[in-house]
Amino acid sequence: MYEQEKKMLAEAAIKQVKNGMILGLGTGSTTRSFIDALGEWVKAGGEVQGVATSNETVEQAKRLNIPLLSLEEATHIDLVIDGIDQIDPRFRVLKGGGGALFREKVVALMSREILYLADASKFVHHLTGPLPVEIDAFARPYVERYLRDKQLDVTLREHDGQPFVTDGGHLILDVDLERVQDVRHLAQELKSLTGVLETGYFERQPDHVLTVEQGKVRQLAHPNLRDGGGLV
């Protein structure tokens, strides 16, 4: 996503923020732009509290003097604002490219409303992945063998030539979904395996998605919602 589009989405997302809200703050480059904008909003007198989904987001929020709550301290979460990796016409979503899928999913499940930010490339007819699968390191051979027995391509995520390790101390296997017809079923199947903590298929779908079309920000509503969205 171009930096200008990220800035446009961040500015549009700020319009959804109200004084007194508890916000779920996502992880990733698109969300970083929003958090920067939120920092300016707070500096100008806005009052919110955030629940961060990663150590990276905690550090950014602290630099910008955005008040944070732990998950235990948050009595509720009003709104999650985050990025996505893929979304299909039924608003089924894949996330986890930034490696924070477990915490992002917990915060999303606790939130009253979800708003995702996405450029046009994130919209697909069929979820092709990769699907991130967060696992305990000890279970890696077992889970990899299970996936390959299903004729699925699987790659251990790396960073700087070393296995990528999540904030929770786990590994991530990225699973290609080209041969998978029912991603939801696969995600449920994988979660039943000992050693699998979570997958990047998000059961809690977004209420709205902000995207940029022909140079303008457009808000898309979930197909089950009555409002059809429109220009922001």
Side-chain angles (χ1 to χ4, degrees), residues 12-230:
I14 282 292
K15 297 177 183 178
Q16 310 290 329
V17 177
K18 310 299 180 187
N19 276 321
M21 275 187 166
I22 297 177
L23 296 176
L25 303 177
T27 299
S29 61
T30 303
T31 314
R32 278 197 295 273
S33 296
F34 165 73
I35 296 173
D36 282 340
L38 183 64
E40 292 297 320
W41 187 83
V42 169
K43 185 177 179 180
E47 296 181 359
V48 294
Q49 294 173 298
V51 176
T53 56
S54 67
N55 295 340
E56 174 189 315
T57 298
V58 168
E59 293 172 3
Q60 183 185 8
K62 286 182 175 179
R63 286 197 306 270
L64 297 170
N65 297 313
I66 299 171
L68 292 177
L69 297 172
S70 68
L71 204 60
E72 292 81 6
E73 293 170 326
T75 56
H76 65 279
I77 298 173
D78 295 296
L79 174 66
V80 166
I81 297 180
D82 203 351
I84 53 177
D85 297 330
Q86 286 188 340
I87 182 169
D88 74 5
R90 294 169 61 184
F91 268 42
R92 292 176 296 195
V93 166
L94 293 184
K95 289 175 49 58
L101 59 148
F102 175 67
R103 297 185 184 184
E104 288 176 338
K105 185 174 284 193
V106 171
V107 170
L109 289 169
M110 290 183 62
S111 183
R112 294 173 176 171
E113 186 176 356
I114 295 178
L115 175 67
Y116 286 150
L117 315 179
D119 68 279
S121 69
K122 302 300 194 299
F123 292 83
V124 296
H125 292 295
H126 173 70
L127 299 176
T128 58
L131 172 71
V133 181
E134 189 167 344
I135 63 169
D136 185 275
F138 184 78
R140 176 187 168 187
Y142 164 62
V143 179
E144 283 184 328
R145 190 174 302 117
Y146 181 91
L147 289 165
R148 289 183 174 132
D149 284 347
K150 295 178 73 67
Q151 307 300 309
L152 296 175
D153 293 329
V154 56
T155 304
L156 176 69
R157 187 177 299 185
E158 295 185 347
H159 178 71
D160 292 336
Q162 297 295 321
F164 176 88
V165 179
T166 69
D167 289 345
H170 303 111
L171 302 179
I172 291 181
L173 299 176
D174 287 313
V175 182
D176 186 273
L177 298 176
E178 290 289 353
R179 300 188 185 98
V180 177
Q181 295 299 315
D182 190 337
V183 179
R184 178 174 176 270
H185 177 76
L186 176 64
Q188 291 176 332
E189 188 177 339
L190 291 175
K191 284 194 66 174
S192 72
L193 294 182
T194 299
V196 172
L197 178 68
E198 193 51 84
T199 81
Y201 178 85
F202 273 49
E203 293 80 9
R204 171 70 163 90
Q205 297 176 350
D207 300 282
H208 294 90
V209 176
L210 292 179
T211 189
V212 177
E213 295 180 357
Q214 298 179 334
K216 296 182 179 180
V217 176
R218 184 173 182 84
Q219 180 169 300
L220 307 176
H222 190 284
N224 292 342
L225 295 178
R226 291 184 178 180
D227 64 290

